[in-house]
Amino acid sequence: MHSDFVTKGNKVVPHRSLFKSMGYTDEELAKPLIGIANAHSEVVPGHIHLDDISEAVKKGILAAGGTPIEFPSIGVCDGISMGHIGMKYSLPSRELIADSVESMVLAHAFDAVVLIPNCDKIVPGMLMAAARLNIPAIVISGGPMLAGRVAGRAVSLSQTFEAVGAHAAGKIDDETLQEYEDQSCPTCGSCSGMFTANSMNCITEALGMGLPGNGTTPAVFAERLRLAKQAGKQIMHLYNEGIRPRDIMTKNAFLNALTLDMALGCSTNSMLHLPAIAYEAGVDLPLTLANEISAKTPNLCRLAPAGPHHIEDLYNAGGVPAVLKELSTLGIIHLDEKTVAGKLGDMVSKAVNRNPEVIRPANNPFSPVGGIIVLTGNLAENGSVVKRSAVADEMMKTSGKARVFESEEECAEAIYGNKIKPGDVVVIRYEGPKGGPGMREMLNPTAALMGMGLGTQVSLITDGRFSGASRGACIGHVSPEAAIGGLIGLVEEGDKIDIDINAGTLHLDVPDDVIEERRKKWSAPEQKDLKGYLARYQKLVTGADKGAVLV
C-alpha cells in the first residue's frame, strides 16, 4: 500500500502521531487510506451540496473496508465569472485543480482517490489528475440541476443570459426579466442544459471513470446519494483488484468518449478537455480526429441550448447507457473497454431507451453526423471548433464582412449599441489561451445576439471559446491564436470571411500578398499589469488545438 509510507513501522511513529491528533485509530490506519477530493464550496451552485455527496461516499468506503480522508479542491463558477476578469481564471483553474489533487494525494500517500467534482473545469481537472497519478480512482459528480420554468416553459441558464439581450432590445419587460432571474435555476446542481459541466459528466461515463448515471442523475434525487455510496464501495473494489485509470482511459475509451460527445451534441469545451485528459493519460488524441468520429456518428440528442430538452429528460429517457446502446447498433462503440463498473458492454446491454423523442434511435437521428465539427482553413490552420447541432440551417454556409474587436467587452458594447447588422461576421481576438490570457468564454456576446434577434443572421469567430450554453454560428478555439501571430490577428474591418460548417472550412478571402504586407507590420499588443498566476499561465500554456495544457 502507498499508505505504508505514513502508517507502517517504527520510523513513521511521528506520522502516526499526527494522524492520531486528528482522532484516527490504529484500526483505521491499518486499512487502505482513500483520499476524497471534494470540490464543495458556497459559491458554485453545482458544488453547494457536495458535502452530502462526500458523506455518502465515506459511508460506502467504510462499508467496504477502507478509511476515507477528505481534502478540498477549488472550483470556479463559469456563470458567475462570466463577462469580467473572473473568466480569465476559469480555464486556468483546471490546471490548478489537477496540480492540487496530485499534490495532496502524493504528499499524504493515499492508496486510492474518489473525485467529487461537478462543474465546468473541475471535472476535467480531476480526470487529468487521475490519469497523471494512475492510482485507483473513481469520479462521482454532484449531478445536474433541474430545469426552471418561466412563462410555463422549461428554461435553463442559457435563456437567462439571452433574456438580458431581449430586455435590451425591448422584447421583454422588467417583470419577465425578474422572473428569469428568480426561476431559471431552481435547485443546486450543474446548470440544466448540455453545457460544459454536464457534457463532461456524461463523457466521464463513456470514458469509463464514472458509474452509470453519473452524468444525468439529478443533484436533488436520493438516487444521487445512493450512487455516491456505491462509488465509495466501488473504489475499494478497484483498489483490491489493482485497476488503475490508465487501464480504463485507453485510446478506445477516448474514442468512445468522442463518439458519445458527437451523439449528445456536447459543449465545444469538450474539444479542449478531452485532449488535455488524453495528454495526461499518454494517449495521442489530435483535434482532427473529431471530424473522423463526427462523420460516422449520428446526432441523437438535441438538449438545451440546441433544443427543448434538459438533462433531467435525458435521465428519464435512459441516460448515457441508452445513448451508447443506440450507438452500439452501428458498431461504433468499443464495448470491451473496462470501466469502473466492469465492461462497458455489460452496462450498455442493460440499457433501455424510454423516450425516442429525447434519444433518437440510431436509424432516425436529428442529423446523420455528429454535433461538433472542427473547421480548418487559412483562418484556422490548426483548427477551430463549432457546435454544429446548435447552428441554424441557414447559417451553415455563409459569407460576410468582418467586424473586428480586440476584446469581448468591445464586442458586447457594439451589439448592445445596435452596431452589428445582419450578415456581419464578428471577430473577437486576443482572447486565446495566451492572448487573454485564459481563453475566456463568450456567452455574453452570443446571448446578446440571440436575445436581440440576430442569432440566425450573424456569425461569431474567436480565438477564445464559447460556453456550452452558447448557440448559433459560434466558431471558437481558432488556432493559431492572434497573440502568437495567427491569421485572425491580421483580419481587418470589412474583410470577407467565408464559412462552410458542413464542409469544415473557415477562410479569410484576402490575397496572400496583402496578408504578407499586413504580417510585416503586425506586432502583438502589450499586456500591462499581468502578474500572479495568469502571468505564469501565459508563459506555459499551449494552443487550444493541444488542449491548452501547461508544458
Side-chain angles (χ1 to χ4, degrees):
M1 294 195 301
H2 288 106
S3 58
D4 287 355
F5 289 114
V6 295
T7 61
K8 297 295 190 294
N10 289 338
K11 65 180 180 180
V12 296
V13 164
H15 304 64
R16 287 197 299 272
S17 73
L18 291 168
F19 277 109
K20 288 184 175 180
S21 76
M22 295 180 280
Y24 291 97
T25 66
D26 288 329
E27 290 78 12
E28 288 174 312
L29 296 178
K31 297 176 182 178
L33 303 186
I34 311 300
I36 301 175
N38 184 4
H40 167 263
S41 76
E42 295 181 348
V43 72
V44 185
H47 293 196
I48 190 73
H49 65 304
L50 293 189
D51 276 356
D52 293 334
I53 302 295
S54 181
E55 287 304 310
V57 167
K58 290 175 187 176
K59 290 175 182 177
I61 293 171
L62 290 167
T67 296
I69 302 178
E70 182 181 339
F71 60 88
S73 169
I74 67 165
V76 170
C77 176
D78 276 23
I80 295 174
S81 65
M82 194 73 66
H84 59 95
I85 192 175
M87 182 45 68
K88 291 180 181 284
Y89 286 88
S90 173
L91 181 59
S93 74
R94 186 188 70 183
E95 317 309 308
L96 289 175
I97 291 159
D99 290 350
S100 65
V101 173
E102 173 199 353
S103 299
M104 291 297 290
V105 167
L106 294 182
H108 302 100
F110 291 124
D111 297 302
V113 62
V114 179
L115 304 163
I116 308 180
N118 208 28
C119 289
D120 297 58
K121 308 310 165 297
I122 302 87
V123 180
M126 288 191 175
L127 283 168
M128 290 166 68
R132 188 186 300 172
L133 290 164
N134 203 33
I135 64 170
I138 191 169
V139 174
I140 172 64
S141 302
M145 181 185 292
L146 297 180
R149 297 200 75 82
V150 173
R153 70 185 183 113
V155 300
S156 65
L157 184 66
S158 61
Q159 283 102 336
T160 308
F161 272 94
E162 290 174 12
V164 176
H167 183 264
K171 296 185 176 183
I172 63 173
D173 58 21
D174 292 349
E175 184 177 330
T176 303
L177 186 63
Q178 185 67 44
E179 188 177 1
Y180 275 101
E181 179 179 326
D182 294 340
Q183 303 298 330
S184 61
C185 297
T187 73
C188 63
S190 47
C191 295
S192 58
M194 189 53 78
F195 312 147
T196 306
N198 293 323
S199 294
M200 293 309 302
N201 282 323
C202 288
I203 285 171
T204 298
E205 291 188 46
L207 194 57
M209 290 300 293
L211 295 171
N214 180 71
T216 61
T217 304
V220 294
F221 281 17
E223 185 181 345
R224 175 59 61 174
L225 295 177
R226 297 197 298 271
L227 195 67
K229 290 177 183 177
Q230 186 183 347
K233 292 180 181 178
Q234 198 66 17
I235 191 62
M236 295 308 300
H237 170 76
L238 297 171
Y239 168 75
N240 290 327
E241 296 297 318
I243 299 172
R244 299 168 182 250
R246 292 192 189 184
D247 300 326
I248 294 170
M249 289 193 279
T250 64
K251 180 65 173 280
N252 282 343
F254 279 99
L255 296 181
N256 284 341
L258 269 174
T259 303
L260 178 74
D261 190 342
M262 298 302 165
L264 288 177
C266 289
S267 164
T268 53
N269 282 313
S270 63
M271 294 294 99
L272 282 172
H273 300 321
L274 279 172
I277 299 163
Y279 172 79
E280 297 291 353
V283 172
D284 183 34
L285 198 71
L287 191 62
T288 51
L289 189 60
N291 285 358
E292 294 179 33
I293 299 292
S294 184
K296 61 183 180 181
T297 304
N299 180 219
L300 304 183
C301 300
R302 287 283 169 94
L303 301 161
H309 301 126
H310 294 81
I311 303 300
E312 64 197 75
D313 300 310
L314 178 59
Y315 163 79
N316 289 323
V320 169
V323 178
L324 292 173
K325 187 166 189 176
E326 292 289 353
L327 295 171
S328 70
T329 65
L330 303 175
I332 56 177
I333 295 295
H334 300 275
L335 296 173
D336 289 334
E337 289 303 297
K338 287 182 181 178
T339 79
V340 292
K343 287 287 181 71
L344 185 68
D346 294 337
M347 177 183 85
V348 169
S349 67
K350 301 171 186 175
V352 176
N353 183 355
R354 301 187 184 93
N355 190 336
E357 290 302 311
V358 175
I359 304 172
R360 287 282 186 90
N363 61 3
N364 183 33
F366 285 101
S367 166
V369 292
I372 292 175
I373 187 167
V374 175
L375 310 185
T376 55
N378 71 342
L379 195 49
E381 291 181 2
N382 296 342
S384 60
V385 181
V386 63
K387 189 172 184 175
R388 172 166 47 188
S389 59
V391 180
D393 290 343
E394 59 265 38
M395 296 300 292
M396 287 294 184
K397 184 175 182 179
T398 185
S399 296
K401 292 184 177 180
R403 300 296 311 281
V404 182
F405 301 94
E406 309 299 322
S407 71
E408 176 189 6
E409 288 84 357
E410 283 186 21
C411 177
E413 184 179 346
I415 294 170
Y416 286 123
N418 295 308
K419 295 178 181 178
I420 303 300
K421 304 301 179 185
D424 285 346
V425 178
V426 173
V427 176
I428 306 176
R429 60 193 183 193
Y430 297 106
E431 290 283 8
K434 284 187 180 292
M439 203 178 182
R440 290 192 291 179
E441 288 184 344
M442 303 290 159
L443 181 55
N444 276 346
T446 61
L449 288 172
M450 282 292 174
M452 298 182 76
L454 294 170
T456 59
Q457 299 170 301
V458 173
S459 302
L460 201 157
I461 300 170
T462 182
D463 52 8
R465 59 195 177 94
F466 293 107
S467 166
S470 292
R471 59 191 176 107
C474 304
I475 301 164
H477 306 201
V478 169
S479 184
E481 62 175 291
I484 63 169
L487 187 59
I488 189 173
L490 304 181
V491 178
E492 293 187 359
E493 191 82 6
D495 284 351
K496 183 171 176 280
I497 295 177
D498 299 319
I499 302 167
D500 192 333
I501 291 175
N502 284 327
T505 59
L506 181 63
H507 184 75
L508 177 66
D509 191 7
V510 172
D512 290 344
D513 58 334
V514 175
I515 290 174
E516 201 53 42
E517 283 302 312
R518 291 181 188 178
R519 191 174 296 282
K520 291 176 182 177
K521 300 174 183 176
W522 176 85
S523 62
E526 182 182 355
Q527 288 192 319
K528 298 179 180 178
D529 301 324
L530 192 60
K531 56 187 177 183
Y533 177 52
L534 287 183
R536 297 195 300 276
Y537 180 86
Q538 185 183 57
K539 291 178 181 177
L540 300 173
V541 70
T542 63
D545 58 306
K546 303 295 185 184
V549 296
L550 301 187
V551 294

